[in-house]
């Protein structure tokens, strides 16, 4: 059997488990390998610095780029420090600060997305988790530089979307993108978290589903995931994509239309503009 | 229009919980509601006369059409985008059945009603979410209607008033419902960049993906007294932090104190408040 075929056969829930695997490359692994020489910038200038989101500047074959990644960590210690990649409002505000700076200096933005969701702590609520996510959605929709987001593991709900209002969104082959975790969905809808496997199927959260719905443009093969060759290929794809996007005179209109059509039913348009 | 009248008629027969109430028999004992705040039983007719507010100040839930009627000039509301209802894009198990039940019970086709209306003579675009329709959850049709409304308001240079109540994104529409947060936000941004006013009135509850998108993106954010406003549900927060939550956590007062709403406005004053805001932002 071809190794690619074997990967194709994973069920939706197996992909969820794969996406969550702590041995999988994290955001910082991608940064280290795709953007050597990355300089990290800290803090949101308002409250603090959220270790769950790492951001900074790097060079991609001579072009300056702003890079932002949600970092889960591998070890128990790292995971504790990074809050397992569940960002707080200050993390989203740091990301927005760096994106605005990218806009000022005309740098494209690359985001690596990997979170089970925005943090649900009481402090996060007090500091406006909802407002922080909302502001990113609002501002990213008109950010005047190209934005490329890559879901590398879990694309968990609003917490992932807050870094994914992009011109192009890619997903790793075994990454997932969902409005709710399968466990959460099963316990709310069927009062049984044990039905997570069925929920994962029903939620259509795989990369294949996302591409079919038009939510993402490309699926990145995980063949050789984490190897030098893998990062080299990815780097080349990112470079090509950013240079194509930088040449797009209709960047913002296309970004608007990209999201504008998601979820529109053809029958609604048939109803005519006047309704 | 006939549909609208029909819906209004059905809507008026509804009781809390989305069930159709038995016709009011004046001879028999008058229907009452138990106030969860003061624990008194209040005759429903008295509540109706008082905008569904108890004497103690407790604000009961209200249907979207009742709110529109309460906040706008009589007969001025013109509904828009009525044909848009969810198409079950994921073919999610049990969703069609659920929708049928909810549509019958609520008398609405979707969880948001959009249109134009006058508030003391000021023209505005208005959307009102329906708590009796899957707790105002946002699926693709809700996203579409709200996006269309902001686009319509932009084209016609009108302010938008949003009356918000929502449990968040509608999980039966998966990642596509999540995308509605980005899609509505982009439409809000274009409307905002054109210098137009958007006022949001957050009512109980305003949570999840709606808080994390258009509810928190308004120029002026108002809250109804006692409304729960937050991102994560209080129970989820408690499970995450394993600590007891402070008193009044995520209630309107709490959210105001933390700086995320402009004013708390009781129902009786909402219309006058909106009218004054519109007057202060009148252009040309
Ligand atoms: Zn009372």
């Amino acid at each position: 059997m071809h190794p690619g075929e074997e990967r194709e056969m994973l069920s939706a829930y197996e992909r969820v488990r794969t996406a969550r695997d702590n041995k999988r490359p994290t955001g910082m692994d991608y940064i280290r390998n795709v953007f050597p020489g990355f300089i990290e910038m800290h803090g949101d200038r308002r409250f603090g610095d959220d270790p769950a989101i790492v951001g900074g500047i790097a060079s991609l074959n001579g072009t300056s780029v702003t890079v932002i990644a949600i970092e889960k960590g591998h070890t128990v210690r790292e995971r504790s420090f990074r809050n397992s990649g569940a960002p707080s409002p200050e993390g989203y505000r740091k990301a927005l600060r760096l994106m605005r700076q990218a806009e000022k200096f005309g740098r494209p933005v690359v985001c690596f997305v990997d979170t089970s969701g925005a943090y649900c702590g009481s402090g996060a609520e007090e500091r406006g988790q909802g407002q922080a996510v909302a502001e990113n959605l609002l501002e990213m929709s008109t950010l005047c530089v190209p934005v490329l987001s890559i879901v590398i593991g879990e694309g968990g709900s609003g917490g992932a979307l807050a870094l994914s209002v992009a011109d192009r969104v890619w997903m790793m082959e075994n990454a997932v993108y969902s409005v709710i975790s399968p466990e959460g969905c099963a316990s709310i809808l069927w009062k049984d978290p044990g039905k997570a496997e069925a929920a994962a199927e029903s939620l259509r959260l795989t990369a294949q589903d996302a591409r079919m719905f038009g939510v993402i443009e490309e699926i990145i093969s995980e063949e050789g995931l984490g190897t030098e060759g893998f990062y080299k290929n990815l780097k080349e794809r990112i470079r090509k994509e950013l240079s194509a996007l930088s040449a797009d005179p209709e960047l913002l209109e296309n970004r608007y239309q990209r999201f504008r059509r998601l979820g529109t039913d053809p029958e609604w348009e048939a109803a005519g503009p006047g309704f | 229009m006939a549909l609208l009248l029909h819906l209004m008629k059905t809507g008026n027969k509804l009781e809390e919980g989305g069930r159709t109430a038995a016709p009011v028999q004046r001879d028999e004992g008058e229907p009452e509601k138990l106030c969860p705040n003061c624990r008194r039983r209040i005759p429903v007719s008295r509540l109706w006369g008082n905008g569904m507010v108890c004497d103690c100040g407790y604000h009961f839930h209200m249907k979207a059409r009742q709110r529109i009627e309460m906040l706008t000039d009589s007969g001025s509301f013109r509904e828009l985008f009525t044909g848009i209802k969810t198409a079950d894009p994921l073919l999610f198990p049990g969703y069609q059945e659920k929708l049928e039940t909810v549509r019958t019970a609520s008398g609405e086709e979707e969880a948001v009603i959009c249109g134009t209306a006058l508030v003391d003579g000021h023209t505005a675009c208005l959307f009102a979410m329906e708590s009796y329709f899957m707790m105002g959850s946002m699926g693709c049709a809700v996203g579409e209607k709200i996006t269309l409304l902001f686009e319509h308001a932009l084209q016609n240079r009108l302010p938008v008033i949003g009356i918000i109540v929502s449990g968040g994104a509608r999980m039966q529409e998966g990642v596509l419902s999540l995308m509605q947060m980005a899609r509505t936000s982009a439409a809000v941004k274009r409307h905002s960049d054109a210098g137009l006013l958007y006022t949001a009135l957050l009512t109980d509850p305003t949570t999840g993906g709606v808080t994390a998108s258009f509810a928190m993106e308004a120029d002026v954010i108002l809250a109804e007294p006692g409304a729960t406003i937050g991102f994560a549900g209080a129970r989820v927060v408690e499970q995450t932090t394993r600590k007891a939550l402070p008193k009044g956590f995520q209630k309107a007062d709490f959210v105001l104190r933390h700086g995320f709403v402009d004013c708390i406005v009781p129902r009786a004053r909402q219309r006058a408040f909106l009218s004054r805001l519109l007057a202060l932002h009148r252009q040309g």
Side-chain angles (χ1 to χ4, degrees):
Chain A
M1 186 185 277
H2 188 269
E5 284 171 45
E6 196 183 340
R7 291 198 309 269
E8 289 281 310
M9 285 166 67
L10 290 180
S11 73
Y13 198 61
E14 282 166 337
R15 285 189 203 275
V16 171
R17 278 204 298 258
T18 307
R20 289 173 180 168
D21 188 349
N22 65 3
K23 288 191 282 300
R24 220 177 141 74
T26 61
M28 282 172 80
D29 292 326
Y30 281 88
I31 292 181
R32 266 192 291 271
N33 288 284
V34 178
F35 300 99
F38 169 81
I39 307 170
E40 185 174 359
M41 304 293 177
H42 293 272
D44 70 346
R45 303 291 192 271
R46 282 163 171 76
F47 176 80
D49 182 47
D50 182 5
I53 292 187
V54 173
I57 320 168
S59 169
L60 185 66
N61 297 33
T63 308
S64 301
V65 194
T66 288
V67 188
I68 297 165
I70 303 180
E71 172 62 25
K72 282 183 173 176
H74 291 286
T75 63
V76 172
R77 231 179 117 145
E78 282 168 1
R79 290 216 158 198
S80 156
F81 176 61
R82 303 283 174 188
N83 200 21
S84 301
S88 294
E90 47 276 18
Y92 293 113
R93 291 179 183 131
K94 168 168 69 179
L96 184 58
R97 177 177 79 80
L98 296 174
M99 285 190 269
R100 286 209 173 108
Q101 211 172 77
E103 189 175 46
K104 172 178 175 181
F105 295 108
R107 295 192 282 263
V109 177
V110 177
C111 298
F112 294 101
V113 178
D114 186 14
T115 181
S116 58
Y119 187 53
C120 296
S122 54
E125 288 293 317
E126 288 172 10
R127 298 193 297 279
Q129 188 68 281
Q131 189 274 339
V133 171
E135 191 170 12
N136 281 22
L137 305 186
L138 196 71
E139 296 301 325
M140 287 180 83
S141 75
T142 56
L143 201 77
C144 296
V145 289
V147 183
L148 165 65
S149 292
I150 309 173
V151 183
I152 56 171
E154 284 185 280
S157 197
L161 185 64
L163 293 181
S164 308
V165 181
D167 302 297
R168 296 284 185 276
V169 181
W170 298 349
M171 278 174 82
M172 291 295 142
E173 183 184 337
N174 289 317
V176 292
Y177 201 175
S178 183
V179 67
I180 187 168
S181 72
E183 293 80 6
C185 177
S187 66
I188 294 171
L189 275 190
W190 303 317
K191 315 284 173 226
D192 181 2
K195 289 190 176 152
E197 213 162 332
E201 291 293 337
S202 302
L203 282 167
R204 312 282 302 270
L205 44 64
T206 69
Q208 283 74 14
D209 292 321
R211 189 171 59 183
M212 201 197 72
F213 291 133
V215 166
I216 63 163
E217 278 75 20
E218 287 191 44
I219 300 172
I220 310 290
S221 162
E222 291 190 9
E223 210 171 330
L225 181 71
T227 63
E228 203 178 312
F230 168 82
Y231 288 120
K232 196 168 158 245
N233 286 339
L234 181 63
K235 182 174 183 166
E236 183 52 21
R237 283 177 89 158
I238 293 173
R239 192 194 60 76
K240 272 194 186 145
E241 190 66 70
L242 292 182
S243 99
L245 288 171
S246 299
D248 182 0
E250 297 293 320
L251 187 74
L252 290 189
E253 177 61 21
N254 288 337
R255 190 183 305 155
Y256 187 82
Q257 296 303 335
R258 182 191 186 279
F259 286 92
R260 182 66 187 81
R261 62 174 177 264
L262 291 177
T264 293
D265 194 87
E267 276 182 37
W268 298 339
E269 294 186 16
F275 296 96
Chain B
M1 201 58 210
L3 175 70
L4 173 61
L5 286 172
H6 166 75
L7 288 175
M8 289 182 80
K9 256 166 76 187
T10 13
N12 284 344
K13 274 192 281 177
L14 284 165
E15 261 296 284
E16 183 150 27
R19 285 169 285 106
T20 308
V24 179
Q25 305 276 329
R26 296 200 186 280
D27 317 294
E28 293 168 25
E30 203 190 349
E32 293 173 325
K33 261 166 145 8
L34 179 70
C35 173
N37 182 47
C38 67
R39 315 297 303 170
R40 277 182 303 184
R41 300 197 156 274
I42 319 293
V44 168
S45 62
R46 186 184 172 84
L47 281 175
W48 273 82
N50 207 17
M52 302 301 285
V53 179
C54 178
D55 297 346
C56 75
Y58 178 81
H59 285 55
F60 282 91
H61 285 183
M62 217 175 166
K63 283 194 54 78
R65 284 186 200 278
Q66 284 180 297
R67 287 193 181 272
I68 293 171
E69 204 170 309
M70 178 184 84
L71 295 172
T72 62
D73 298 357
S74 178
S76 71
F77 182 66
R78 299 280 173 274
E79 189 166 0
L80 290 166
F81 324 129
T82 48
I84 295 172
K85 48 184 183 174
T86 183
D88 190 7
L90 271 57
L91 304 174
F92 197 95
Y95 185 32
Q96 283 295 355
E97 294 77 6
K98 171 98 186 159
L99 283 167
E100 274 167 42
T101 315
V102 167
R103 282 188 181 130
T104 310
S106 69
E108 299 296 347
E109 290 196 309
E110 255 307 332
V112 70
I113 298 163
C114 296
T116 58
L118 300 176
V119 179
D120 286 346
H122 304 287
T123 309
C125 284
L126 185 141
F127 70 90
M129 303 183 82
E130 179 54 86
S131 61
Y132 296 103
F133 196 106
M134 301 182 76
M135 196 35 92
S137 66
M138 173 162 63
C140 296
V142 169
E144 173 89 3
K145 288 176 83 168
I146 291 173
T147 302
L148 280 169
L149 189 75
F150 276 95
E151 289 174 343
H152 179 83
L154 174 61
Q155 254 167 27
N156 296 282
R157 297 204 58 82
L158 290 170
V160 173
I161 297 169
I163 304 158
I164 296 173
V165 55
S166 182
R170 195 175 295 170
M171 67 185 130
Q172 291 90 341
E173 298 189 24
V175 72
L176 284 173
S177 72
L178 181 66
M179 293 302 127
Q180 305 312 307
M181 292 166 64
R183 191 184 186 205
T184 51
S185 297
V188 171
K189 184 66 161 58
R190 284 195 162 183
H191 181 261
S192 176
D193 285 350
L196 299 166
L197 173 70
Y198 164 34
T199 306
L201 171 62
L202 313 188
T203 73
D204 186 59
T206 296
T207 56
V210 166
T211 296
S213 60
F214 56 85
M216 282 291 157
E217 293 167 350
D219 300 294
V220 179
I221 305 180
L222 310 176
E224 213 164 63
T228 295
I229 298 159
F231 178 64
R235 211 163 25 147
V236 176
V237 175
E238 208 157 32
Q239 282 164 2
T240 304
T241 52
R242 294 196 182 87
K243 272 188 284 194
L245 296 171
K247 200 168 173 288
F249 183 70
Q250 292 182 331
K251 295 294 177 199
D253 282 317
F254 177 94
V255 181
L256 179 120
R257 246 185 305 117
H258 285 91
F260 293 97
V261 303
D262 289 286
C263 302
I264 297 172
V265 187
R267 218 169 265 170
R269 297 205 338 251
Q270 286 169 4
R271 185 181 165 148
F273 198 105
L274 288 173
S275 158
R276 180 121 177 80
L277 268 183
L278 292 173
L280 286 166
H281 290 84
R282 197 164 31 197
Q283 292 178 329

